[in-house]
Amino acid sequence: MSLIPKKGTVYVVDDDEAVRDSLQWLLEGKDYRVKCFDSAESFLSRFDPREVACVICDIRMDGMNGLELQDRLIERKSPLPIVFVTGHGDVPMAVSTMKKGAMDFIEKPFKEDDLVSLVERMLDQARSAFSQHQEQASRDALLQRLTTREAQVLERIVAGRLNKQIADDLGISIKTVEAHRANIMEKLNANTVADLLKIALGAPSNKTA
């Protein structure tokens, strides 16, 4: 049996050891896996971007502060949900982090139940983002199976072009277009044109395995 808690991973980034220890004790007691970092720089060099997780981060830290950490994660297109723990004077700064996509902020001293509730919301969001990332990766892998010509044909199918129009566009015969369409359907595991469009446009598929 796995010893790793099933609720998810919480990254705690704070340069105050007492705060890190307090949050670790609280969250591990609620069956979360907790990884603590004493600086934003340490976190950025060691966190696993493939992990379903969330971040609790102090705003004011020595070295890179919480706002700068958030900017680095945005630059990396990281889907990690983040919440900031702030002092009273940091509220205007915290509001600006939310405009950049932070999920929330919580003021010191905070209520334990409020923080745990926030963590659960963040991990729900993280699971959803991870699932979407996996779907996108699967879609990209399928599309990469197409030849350059098949990709050109697919682009025109998505644009609503008829076989004759596609043939004229690409200077090939209608039979060749039909052959390409059949190959595209097979490579993308699409049974209908609707399935094909869902894959090409990245829409959720209703197909069952």
Side-chain angles (χ1 to χ4, degrees):
M1 188 172 87
S2 172
L3 296 178
I4 297 175
K6 299 184 185 304
K7 282 190 174 182
T9 298
V10 182
Y11 294 120
V12 175
V13 185
D14 199 304
D15 59 2
D16 186 326
E17 184 177 5
V19 172
R20 294 196 305 273
D21 289 346
S22 174
L23 288 172
Q24 184 165 13
W25 178 84
L26 168 64
L27 294 169
E28 286 184 346
K30 300 293 184 179
D31 203 29
Y32 296 103
R33 186 182 186 197
V34 182
K35 296 182 181 179
C36 293
F37 301 87
D38 60 6
S39 70
E41 292 88 346
S42 175
F43 167 73
L44 286 172
S45 67
R46 292 164 54 197
F47 87 100
D48 185 351
R50 299 164 298 177
E51 193 165 28
V52 176
C54 65
V55 183
I56 298 175
C57 183
D58 193 12
I59 282 190
R60 294 187 185 275
M61 295 184 286
D62 291 335
M64 184 185 298
N65 64 32
L67 281 75
E68 292 168 331
L69 170 59
Q70 183 185 28
D71 287 339
R72 297 297 183 278
L73 290 173
I74 291 171
E75 288 171 6
R76 296 186 184 189
K77 295 181 169 52
S78 169
L80 275 175
I82 186 167
V83 64
F84 288 95
V85 177
T86 74
H88 178 70
D90 296 330
V91 170
M93 296 170 65
V95 171
S96 74
T97 70
M98 292 187 68
K99 291 178 180 177
K100 293 182 179 179
M103 194 153 180
D104 211 333
F105 65 90
I106 191 164
E107 287 188 81
K108 302 174 186 175
F110 54 82
K111 295 180 181 177
E112 292 183 356
D113 288 347
D114 290 346
L115 182 63
V116 171
S117 176
L118 265 177
V119 165
E120 194 55 44
R121 282 169 49 205
M122 286 196 293
L123 286 172
D124 284 343
Q125 179 176 309
R127 293 182 196 102
S128 176
F130 184 77
S131 176
Q132 291 172 10
H133 174 76
Q134 292 292 88
E135 288 179 6
Q136 180 66 39
S138 297
R139 170 180 170 265
D140 289 346
L142 285 174
L143 292 172
Q144 286 173 7
R145 298 170 65 185
L146 301 181
T147 65
T148 299
R149 179 64 86 190
E150 288 166 352
Q152 292 171 342
V153 171
L154 176 59
E155 181 182 355
R156 286 160 175 79
I157 293 172
V158 171
R161 305 284 283 171
L162 302 175
N163 283 358
K164 183 178 185 308
Q165 294 171 317
I166 295 173
D168 290 341
D169 289 344
L170 300 178
I172 57 180
S173 70
I174 293 177
K175 285 190 176 181
T176 301
V177 173
E178 291 171 348
H180 284 316
R181 284 183 74 124
N183 288 339
I184 293 167
M185 298 285 282
E186 181 178 354
K187 288 182 178 181
L188 299 187
N189 299 324
N191 296 320
T192 66
V193 173
D195 289 338
L196 191 66
L197 292 176
K198 287 175 183 176
I199 295 168
L201 297 173
S205 175
N206 295 321
K207 290 173 63 178
T208 56

mmCIF file of all heavy atoms in Angstrom, residues 141-152 154 180 183-185 187-188:
data_model
loop_
_atom_site.group_PDB
_atom_site.id
_atom_site.type_symbol
_atom_site.label_atom_id
_atom_site.label_comp_id
_atom_site.label_asym_id
_atom_site.label_seq_id
_atom_site.Cartn_x
_atom_site.Cartn_y
_atom_site.Cartn_z
ATOM 1 N N ALA A 141 -0.146 14.434 -29.789
ATOM 2 C CA ALA A 141 0.525 13.215 -30.246
ATOM 3 C C ALA A 141 -0.177 12.635 -31.462
ATOM 4 O O ALA A 141 0.466 12.156 -32.406
ATOM 5 C CB ALA A 141 0.577 12.190 -29.111
ATOM 6 N N LEU A 142 -1.515 12.687 -31.459
ATOM 7 C CA LEU A 142 -2.271 12.193 -32.610
ATOM 8 C C LEU A 142 -2.011 13.050 -33.849
ATOM 9 O O LEU A 142 -1.757 12.530 -34.935
ATOM 10 C CB LEU A 142 -3.773 12.187 -32.299
ATOM 11 C CG LEU A 142 -4.296 11.091 -31.371
ATOM 12 C CD1 LEU A 142 -5.766 11.330 -31.062
ATOM 13 C CD2 LEU A 142 -4.119 9.701 -31.999
ATOM 14 N N LEU A 143 -2.060 14.367 -33.681
ATOM 15 C CA LEU A 143 -1.885 15.267 -34.817
ATOM 16 C C LEU A 143 -0.482 15.167 -35.418
ATOM 17 O O LEU A 143 -0.303 15.361 -36.622
ATOM 18 C CB LEU A 143 -2.176 16.709 -34.389
ATOM 19 C CG LEU A 143 -3.641 17.001 -34.043
ATOM 20 C CD1 LEU A 143 -3.788 18.397 -33.453
ATOM 21 C CD2 LEU A 143 -4.538 16.849 -35.268
ATOM 22 N N GLN A 144 0.499 14.822 -34.585
ATOM 23 C CA GLN A 144 1.867 14.693 -35.075
ATOM 24 C C GLN A 144 2.045 13.471 -35.979
ATOM 25 O O GLN A 144 3.049 13.358 -36.680
ATOM 26 C CB GLN A 144 2.844 14.626 -33.901
ATOM 27 C CG GLN A 144 3.053 15.974 -33.214
ATOM 28 C CD GLN A 144 3.876 15.868 -31.951
ATOM 29 O OE1 GLN A 144 4.421 14.811 -31.631
ATOM 30 N NE2 GLN A 144 3.965 16.973 -31.212
ATOM 31 N N ARG A 145 1.067 12.575 -35.971
ATOM 32 C CA ARG A 145 1.137 11.394 -36.837
ATOM 33 C C ARG A 145 0.814 11.736 -38.299
ATOM 34 O O ARG A 145 1.074 10.940 -39.199
ATOM 35 C CB ARG A 145 0.160 10.327 -36.330
ATOM 36 C CG ARG A 145 0.479 9.820 -34.924
ATOM 37 C CD ARG A 145 -0.620 8.951 -34.369
ATOM 38 N NE ARG A 145 -0.795 7.717 -35.118
ATOM 39 C CZ ARG A 145 -1.756 6.825 -34.900
ATOM 40 N NH1 ARG A 145 -2.650 7.058 -33.946
ATOM 41 N NH2 ARG A 145 -1.845 5.738 -35.629
ATOM 42 N N LEU A 146 0.230 12.911 -38.520
ATOM 43 C CA LEU A 146 -0.170 13.292 -39.876
ATOM 44 C C LEU A 146 1.035 13.754 -40.691
ATOM 45 O O LEU A 146 1.953 14.384 -40.172
ATOM 46 C CB LEU A 146 -1.205 14.418 -39.826
ATOM 47 C CG LEU A 146 -2.505 14.150 -39.066
ATOM 48 C CD1 LEU A 146 -3.419 15.369 -39.159
ATOM 49 C CD2 LEU A 146 -3.214 12.907 -39.576
ATOM 50 N N THR A 147 1.005 13.457 -41.994
ATOM 51 C CA THR A 147 2.015 14.003 -42.894
ATOM 52 C C THR A 147 1.702 15.479 -43.140
ATOM 53 O O THR A 147 0.622 15.969 -42.777
ATOM 54 C CB THR A 147 2.005 13.270 -44.239
ATOM 55 O OG1 THR A 147 0.744 13.522 -44.888
ATOM 56 C CG2 THR A 147 2.187 11.766 -44.059
ATOM 57 N N THR A 148 2.630 16.174 -43.750
ATOM 58 C CA THR A 148 2.411 17.598 -44.049
ATOM 59 C C THR A 148 1.178 17.775 -44.930
ATOM 60 O O THR A 148 0.347 18.662 -44.701
ATOM 61 C CB THR A 148 3.642 18.187 -44.763
ATOM 62 O OG1 THR A 148 4.771 18.065 -43.899
ATOM 63 C CG2 THR A 148 3.418 19.660 -45.086
ATOM 64 N N ARG A 149 1.022 16.927 -45.933
ATOM 65 C CA ARG A 149 -0.131 17.023 -46.844
ATOM 66 C C ARG A 149 -1.426 16.726 -46.100
ATOM 67 O O ARG A 149 -2.445 17.414 -46.298
ATOM 68 C CB ARG A 149 0.044 16.061 -48.025
ATOM 69 C CG ARG A 149 -1.131 16.085 -49.008
ATOM 70 C CD ARG A 149 -1.274 17.451 -49.681
ATOM 71 N NE ARG A 149 -0.434 17.563 -50.846
ATOM 72 C CZ ARG A 149 -0.208 18.684 -51.507
ATOM 73 N NH1 ARG A 149 -0.744 19.813 -51.071
ATOM 74 N NH2 ARG A 149 0.574 18.717 -52.567
ATOM 75 N N GLU A 150 -1.420 15.706 -45.249
ATOM 76 C CA GLU A 150 -2.622 15.381 -44.485
ATOM 77 C C GLU A 150 -2.994 16.534 -43.547
ATOM 78 O O GLU A 150 -4.182 16.839 -43.374
ATOM 79 C CB GLU A 150 -2.394 14.092 -43.679
ATOM 80 C CG GLU A 150 -2.368 12.841 -44.560
ATOM 81 C CD GLU A 150 -1.808 11.625 -43.848
ATOM 82 O OE1 GLU A 150 -1.295 11.768 -42.714
ATOM 83 O OE2 GLU A 150 -1.874 10.518 -44.425
ATOM 84 N N ALA A 151 -1.996 17.185 -42.974
ATOM 85 C CA ALA A 151 -2.271 18.337 -42.116
ATOM 86 C C ALA A 151 -2.904 19.467 -42.912
ATOM 87 O O ALA A 151 -3.807 20.166 -42.424
ATOM 88 C CB ALA A 151 -0.973 18.813 -41.446
ATOM 89 N N GLN A 152 -2.456 19.653 -44.153
ATOM 90 C CA GLN A 152 -3.039 20.683 -45.019
ATOM 91 C C GLN A 152 -4.496 20.356 -45.344
ATOM 92 O O GLN A 152 -5.362 21.246 -45.352
ATOM 93 C CB GLN A 152 -2.221 20.792 -46.311
ATOM 94 C CG GLN A 152 -0.825 21.361 -46.106
ATOM 95 C CD GLN A 152 0.033 21.246 -47.354
ATOM 96 O OE1 GLN A 152 -0.264 20.459 -48.266
ATOM 97 N NE2 GLN A 152 1.104 22.025 -47.412
ATOM 98 N N LEU A 154 -6.508 18.454 -43.492
ATOM 99 C CA LEU A 154 -7.273 18.597 -42.251
ATOM 100 C C LEU A 154 -7.597 20.058 -41.984
ATOM 101 O O LEU A 154 -8.720 20.397 -41.585
ATOM 102 C CB LEU A 154 -6.481 18.008 -41.077
ATOM 103 C CG LEU A 154 -7.129 18.168 -39.691
ATOM 104 C CD1 LEU A 154 -8.500 17.503 -39.660
ATOM 105 C CD2 LEU A 154 -6.221 17.611 -38.602
ATOM 106 N N HIS A 180 -6.631 10.965 -48.571
ATOM 107 C CA HIS A 180 -6.048 11.659 -47.425
ATOM 108 C C HIS A 180 -7.041 11.729 -46.256
ATOM 109 O O HIS A 180 -6.671 11.531 -45.096
ATOM 110 C CB HIS A 180 -5.620 13.082 -47.811
ATOM 111 C CG HIS A 180 -4.349 13.141 -48.607
ATOM 112 N ND1 HIS A 180 -3.240 12.405 -48.289
ATOM 113 C CD2 HIS A 180 -4.016 13.865 -49.716
ATOM 114 C CE1 HIS A 180 -2.273 12.663 -49.161
ATOM 115 N NE2 HIS A 180 -2.724 13.546 -50.044
ATOM 116 N N ASN A 183 -7.127 8.458 -44.490
ATOM 117 C CA ASN A 183 -5.922 8.270 -43.672
ATOM 118 C C ASN A 183 -5.983 9.113 -42.397
ATOM 119 O O ASN A 183 -5.594 8.663 -41.322
ATOM 120 C CB ASN A 183 -4.668 8.654 -44.467
ATOM 121 C CG ASN A 183 -4.341 7.642 -45.546
ATOM 122 O OD1 ASN A 183 -4.773 6.495 -45.479
ATOM 123 N ND2 ASN A 183 -3.583 8.069 -46.552
ATOM 124 N N ILE A 184 -6.476 10.340 -42.550
ATOM 125 C CA ILE A 184 -6.586 11.239 -41.393
ATOM 126 C C ILE A 184 -7.542 10.653 -40.359
ATOM 127 O O ILE A 184 -7.250 10.633 -39.152
ATOM 128 C CB ILE A 184 -7.070 12.637 -41.838
ATOM 129 C CG1 ILE A 184 -6.000 13.320 -42.694
ATOM 130 C CG2 ILE A 184 -7.425 13.503 -40.632
ATOM 131 C CD1 ILE A 184 -6.494 14.556 -43.437
ATOM 132 N N MET A 185 -8.688 10.162 -40.819
ATOM 133 C CA MET A 185 -9.678 9.579 -39.905
ATOM 134 C C MET A 185 -9.075 8.399 -39.148
ATOM 135 O O MET A 185 -9.255 8.253 -37.935
ATOM 136 C CB MET A 185 -10.913 9.119 -40.691
ATOM 137 C CG MET A 185 -11.664 10.215 -41.423
ATOM 138 S SD MET A 185 -12.665 11.268 -40.349
ATOM 139 C CE MET A 185 -14.086 10.214 -40.067
ATOM 140 N N LYS A 187 -5.762 7.721 -38.606
ATOM 141 C CA LYS A 187 -4.664 8.116 -37.717
ATOM 142 C C LYS A 187 -5.151 8.830 -36.460
ATOM 143 O O LYS A 187 -4.537 8.718 -35.403
ATOM 144 C CB LYS A 187 -3.677 9.016 -38.474
ATOM 145 C CG LYS A 187 -2.834 8.279 -39.506
ATOM 146 C CD LYS A 187 -1.842 9.225 -40.180
ATOM 147 C CE LYS A 187 -0.962 8.478 -41.174
ATOM 148 N NZ LYS A 187 0.034 9.382 -41.817
ATOM 149 N N LEU A 188 -6.252 9.554 -36.581
ATOM 150 C CA LEU A 188 -6.773 10.302 -35.438
ATOM 151 C C LEU A 188 -7.837 9.524 -34.659
ATOM 152 O O LEU A 188 -8.440 10.052 -33.730
ATOM 153 C CB LEU A 188 -7.344 11.652 -35.887
ATOM 154 C CG LEU A 188 -6.361 12.611 -36.566
ATOM 155 C CD1 LEU A 188 -7.016 13.963 -36.805
ATOM 156 C CD2 LEU A 188 -5.092 12.788 -35.742
#
